[in-house]
Amino acid sequence: MKYIFWLFVGVIAISCTEKKEGQDDNGAVNIYSHRHYETDQMLFDKFTEQTGIKVNVVSASADELIKRLELEGEKSPADVLITVDAGRLHRAKSLGLLQGIESSILSETIKPQFKDSEGHWFGLTYRARIIAYAKDRVNPDDIQNYEDMADPQFKGKVVMRSSENIYNQSLLAAMVAHHGEEVAMEWAEGVVKNLARSPRGNDRDQVKAIAAGAGDLSLVNTYYLGHMAESESEEERLAVSNVGIIFPNQNSTGTHINISGAGVAKHAPNKENAIKFLEFMVSDEAQKAFAEANYEYPVKEGTAWSETATSWGQHQIDTLKLEKLGINNEVAVRIFDKAGWK
């Protein structure tokens, strides 16, 4: 099945290549996007309205888009890659799929922490990976740090996503950067011993599991909690109402964060339009939309958070440069494997 899938992707890539050679895309920007939110499409439309530049979007998973860029090579029609997690953006850069760009707007707007040091990718929003706990079964004073999740007192009480999940990989990569491989291994092994069940599901599923009593603790990205709180599903609204939120490590490294971000494709046929697009995505208008509609934290200072995010309270975030998450990804994956985290 994998062979058939990549053969299919290859056929798509060839067809796009042929189109590129005969087309005139001076008034367009071609986006390969892993994100799937209505907010994004609204912003694409706004960008076109303000600039006259048409936005063409190809949507797929991050891995599929990265593989597609590899297959298309120099004749790729892609101008911009948008995905979540700095680790993925670092991988795209290391594969030679992105190019460094210069922009005074991006340089002045985005802190060094949220972008590649060589200008290959830029954070558009960030999200915090918090500890979610059962309000009626856990004393929050007992679980103030990520390290506490490995404490034997929580044996049989932790529910988690798979180690294949990029969010967990990036958290462990950050631990490696801060504390070294040995400490990261001890933590991963401790969490595995505390698992209430085999890792499964997404972040929403962990919240539901806690609400249902299948476990007491998990790790969840903040924006999932916002979407669940405002969900049309009564089950999701009820589940999240039974879960408390802790921003870990407030007296040490700060709470781990990650980004959704974008970079200009290596062979972008519309490079100038691509840069204009990235600059628009960190404008006041775009940053406000990300914050209000998708419960993400804006990367542009001075942009107000959503009411929901504000209700979670202020917190100290980890100031580790996010490119470290990509650099340490392979180490994190190896640690998970050795620890038996499925």
Side-chain angles (χ1 to χ4, degrees):
M1 289 297 294
K2 289 183 178 179
Y3 173 78
I4 294 173
F5 170 76
W6 291 123
L7 179 62
F8 173 71
V9 172
V11 170
I12 294 176
I14 291 170
S15 104
C16 288
T17 296
E18 290 175 348
K19 180 179 178 183
K20 176 186 173 185
E21 290 176 342
Q23 69 185 2
D24 179 5
D25 264 354
N26 291 333
V29 59
N30 302 313
I31 311 294
Y32 281 14
S33 180
H34 173 205
R35 287 171 58 95
H36 49 81
Y37 305 111
E38 292 182 3
T39 309
D40 292 35
Q41 185 57 56
M42 179 271 288
L43 289 173
F44 298 162
D45 294 341
K46 283 284 187 181
F47 174 74
T48 298
E49 179 183 320
Q50 293 182 16
T51 65
I53 299 171
K54 181 181 178 182
V55 177
N56 302 312
V57 182
V58 172
S59 298
S61 73
D63 289 342
E64 290 167 357
L65 292 172
I66 288 172
K67 176 57 69 173
R68 180 167 173 170
L69 282 168
E70 284 188 279
L71 290 170
E72 291 171 341
E74 295 181 4
K75 296 182 179 179
S76 175
D79 294 307
V80 174
L81 173 67
I82 301 177
T83 188
V84 298
D85 187 84
R88 287 180 173 135
L89 289 163
H90 176 81
R91 176 153 60 96
K93 174 189 174 181
S94 65
L95 290 170
L97 304 178
L98 303 176
Q99 62 175 293
I101 62 168
E102 295 184 3
S103 162
S104 59
I105 292 176
L106 296 174
S107 177
E108 294 169 6
T109 302
I110 305 175
K111 290 183 176 180
Q113 176 189 8
F114 296 116
K115 60 190 175 187
D116 173 59
S117 59
E118 297 178 323
H120 285 74
W121 53 261
F122 302 85
L124 304 178
T125 67
Y126 77 88
R127 59 282 299 272
R129 194 143 185 81
I130 55 86
I131 295 174
Y133 69 94
K135 289 180 179 178
D136 59 343
R137 300 189 298 276
V138 175
N139 180 350
D141 291 337
D142 294 334
I143 184 81
Q144 290 299 301
N145 304 298
Y146 295 112
E147 292 80 359
D148 296 334
M149 299 190 77
D151 192 304
Q153 70 171 307
F154 297 116
K155 186 175 179 62
K157 296 183 179 180
V158 177
V159 290
M160 283 285 192
R161 292 183 74 150
S162 165
S163 63
E164 294 181 353
N165 173 250
I166 193 69
Y167 303 143
N168 286 343
Q169 291 175 7
S170 288
L171 172 60
L172 192 60
M175 288 186 174
V176 171
H178 285 302
H179 310 300
E181 293 185 35
E182 184 176 347
V183 171
M185 174 64 79
E186 291 176 358
W187 179 80
E189 290 177 334
V191 172
V192 169
K193 291 177 182 177
N194 287 346
L195 290 175
R197 64 181 188 182
S198 180
R200 71 187 73 161
N202 57 28
D203 280 18
R204 294 179 192 238
D205 292 325
Q206 311 315 311
V207 174
K208 293 175 185 177
I210 292 173
D216 292 351
L217 299 170
S218 191
L219 295 173
V220 181
N221 280 354
T222 43
Y223 70 98
Y224 282 109
L225 299 170
H227 281 288
M228 292 183 77
E230 302 298 330
S231 173
E232 295 181 359
S233 166
E234 183 179 358
E235 176 193 13
E236 291 197 344
R237 296 196 304 273
L238 182 60
V240 79
S241 70
N242 290 310
V243 169
I245 299 173
I246 294 169
F247 287 89
N249 297 71
Q250 291 302 283
N251 295 317
S252 56
T253 58
T255 296
H256 171 72
I257 62 166
N258 211 320
I259 59 169
S260 62
V264 175
K266 177 68 173 181
H267 305 291
N270 306 293
K271 180 178 177 179
E272 290 186 8
N273 289 350
I275 294 174
K276 289 178 182 178
F277 174 80
L278 293 185
E279 292 173 343
F280 171 77
M281 295 297 266
V282 296
S283 66
D284 290 339
E285 180 178 15
Q287 289 289 291
K288 181 180 179 181
F290 282 134
E292 292 183 349
N294 207 39
Y295 313 103
E296 296 178 273
Y297 293 106
V299 295
K300 185 172 187 176
E301 288 190 341
T303 306
W305 296 354
S306 68
E307 289 186 13
T308 300
T310 301
S311 72
W312 298 329
Q314 295 290 323
H315 52 273
Q316 174 187 331
I317 64 172
D318 188 350
T319 57
L320 180 73
K321 290 204 68 175
L322 295 181
E323 58 189 345
K324 292 285 188 180
L325 307 185
I327 294 170
N328 291 329
N329 179 264
E330 289 186 10
V331 175
V333 171
R334 185 169 67 249
I335 290 173
F336 275 136
D337 288 344
K338 288 183 178 180
W341 188 318
K342 298 180 179 178

